[in-house]
Amino acid sequence: MSVANTRRSGLGRGLGSLLGETAGEVRTDLDDASLRELSIDEVHPNPDQPRRNFDEDELAELADSIAQCGVLQPIVVRAYDGAFQIVAGERRYQAARRAGLETIPAVVREVSDDEVLQLALIENLQRADLNPMEAAQGYRQLVEQNGLTHAEVAQILSKSRSAITNAMRLLDLPQSVQELVANGLLTAGHARAILSVDGDEGREALAQKVIHEGLSVRQTETFGPLFSVKTQATDDAQPKRTVAPESYGVAARRLHNVLGTKVRVRTIRGKNKVEIEFGNEDDLEAIVERIEGGQDERA
């Protein structure tokens, strides 16, 4: 799906214009929607919902409020597989079930498969409900399932390209560290600092140090180089330098001309590598855009 297509389907215009509701209000102008009272047993969560964790205390409070006052803001659903699938409002749905409600007010809308994940992600992001790992996983779903680039995801969600890229980098963390971030024991800033460490073992060790000693993000960045995993080969002796083929130098110069930055093509411990130098996040974003621009031209 291209950015143009997402604009035509309404994505990027904001959750309110798409779903007939806003983050904090009940909208009564529902001429273009069907407001119904549905049996709660007919309603089912979206398995691709980006939000995985619901705060138990907040859910209990909402359930108590719903038990006393009812559901003041309808959820949004679509007809799906003989029942109804939630597009937005799963937290209200979960609380309503806890409160023992048999029915729930819902706005029934026609939403395509491609739009469901995007709408759910927009809803949660506008309400700041997603933890960093849920957001990163949601971005990855948009990229992989809908074939969007980081720039297109950024445009749809009204974020910067670098914010999307940096968020998705958290998925490179070991699973154990991702869980610490998801549970709020590590911030996204800590997680990015931990990513500077080479190897999962070092990253896990630094994560534990952050938690046990209450390190700040700046302190975590300082400790990063000390936790990089070193192989026995690098500890005992430096490997002999291999003379690179002339083609490596030619390739490096061609890449330099295209990307506008220093590039090295070399062999390290039997592995061929291309190293691209950049100064900051803006430089990195510019490099990625040049690479993607070349891919678009070839396509």
Side-chain angles (χ1 to χ4, degrees):
M1 178 185 297
S2 66
V3 172
N5 286 337
T6 59
R7 286 202 195 100
R8 283 195 295 271
S9 66
L11 296 173
R13 291 191 286 112
L15 184 65
S17 61
L18 286 162
L19 304 182
E21 57 176 325
T22 62
E25 301 174 351
V26 179
R27 179 171 173 178
T28 57
D29 176 19
L30 296 174
D31 292 340
D32 60 341
S34 176
L35 179 59
R36 298 169 59 180
E37 193 77 19
L38 300 177
S39 166
I40 204 162
D41 292 331
E42 290 184 282
V43 178
H44 306 288
N46 173 12
D48 291 328
Q49 154 74 256
R51 186 178 182 184
R52 302 298 181 188
N53 300 316
F54 292 87
D55 185 278
E56 288 297 321
D57 292 337
E58 292 181 359
L59 206 56
E61 289 180 5
L62 182 57
D64 289 341
S65 174
I66 287 176
Q68 297 178 43
C69 305
V71 180
L72 300 181
Q73 182 180 1
I75 65 173
V76 180
V77 300
R78 66 169 180 163
Y80 185 78
D81 197 21
F84 297 93
Q85 185 181 76
I86 296 173
V87 176
E90 183 174 342
R91 182 168 170 269
R92 275 164 281 157
Y93 161 80
Q94 297 289 358
R97 291 193 72 93
R98 288 193 177 202
L101 268 62
E102 295 183 356
T103 63
I104 188 168
V107 176
V108 182
R109 286 202 177 257
E110 293 185 7
V111 180
S112 70
D113 290 340
D114 288 341
E115 292 173 329
V116 169
L117 170 63
Q118 296 169 353
L119 293 173
L121 188 57
I122 291 170
E123 180 205 24
N124 284 291
L125 288 169
Q126 287 188 351
R127 290 170 171 79
D129 282 344
L130 296 182
N131 67 55
M133 296 314 310
E134 289 172 332
Q137 290 159 0
Y139 300 152
R140 181 169 64 182
Q141 282 181 280
L142 289 175
V143 170
E144 294 181 351
Q145 293 183 10
N146 295 332
L148 301 178
T149 66
H150 291 195
E152 289 169 340
V153 173
Q155 182 171 346
I156 290 170
L157 300 176
S158 299
K159 289 183 172 290
S160 69
R161 160 73 173 272
S162 60
I164 301 299
T165 300
N166 285 333
M168 291 183 63
R169 286 182 62 230
L170 300 185
L171 298 171
D172 293 332
L173 290 166
Q175 186 60 38
S176 61
V177 180
Q178 290 189 35
E179 291 174 0
L180 295 174
V181 177
N183 293 327
L185 298 176
L186 291 174
T187 68
H190 285 110
R192 286 191 290 271
I194 291 170
L195 278 169
S196 68
V197 175
D198 295 328
D200 287 354
E201 184 178 345
R203 291 173 177 177
E204 290 172 341
L206 180 54
Q208 291 302 320
K209 183 176 181 67
V210 170
I211 292 173
H212 293 154
E213 300 184 18
L215 300 182
S216 66
V217 173
R218 182 62 60 85
Q219 289 172 322
T220 306
E221 292 171 345
T222 301
F223 277 106
L226 304 178
F227 280 78
S228 291
V229 176
K230 294 183 179 180
T231 64
Q232 188 65 36
T234 57
D235 289 339
D236 296 341
Q238 292 294 326
K240 292 183 179 180
R241 193 176 184 87
T242 303
V243 178
E246 183 178 348
S247 60
Y248 284 20
V250 174
R253 288 191 294 274
R254 291 174 62 188
L255 288 170
H256 167 74
N257 292 335
V258 172
L259 302 178
T261 188
K262 185 176 180 180
V263 179
R264 289 190 293 182
V265 182
R266 56 180 180 162
T267 301
I268 302 176
R269 291 192 290 275
K271 294 184 178 180
N272 299 320
K273 297 186 177 183
V274 177
E275 297 180 353
I276 303 173
E277 186 175 297
F278 63 93
N280 53 41
E281 291 181 0
D282 291 336
D283 292 342
L284 175 60
E285 183 175 349
I287 290 170
V288 174
E289 287 177 349
R290 289 192 184 103
I291 293 173
E292 289 186 342
Q295 292 176 338
D296 292 342
E297 290 175 4
R298 289 192 294 275

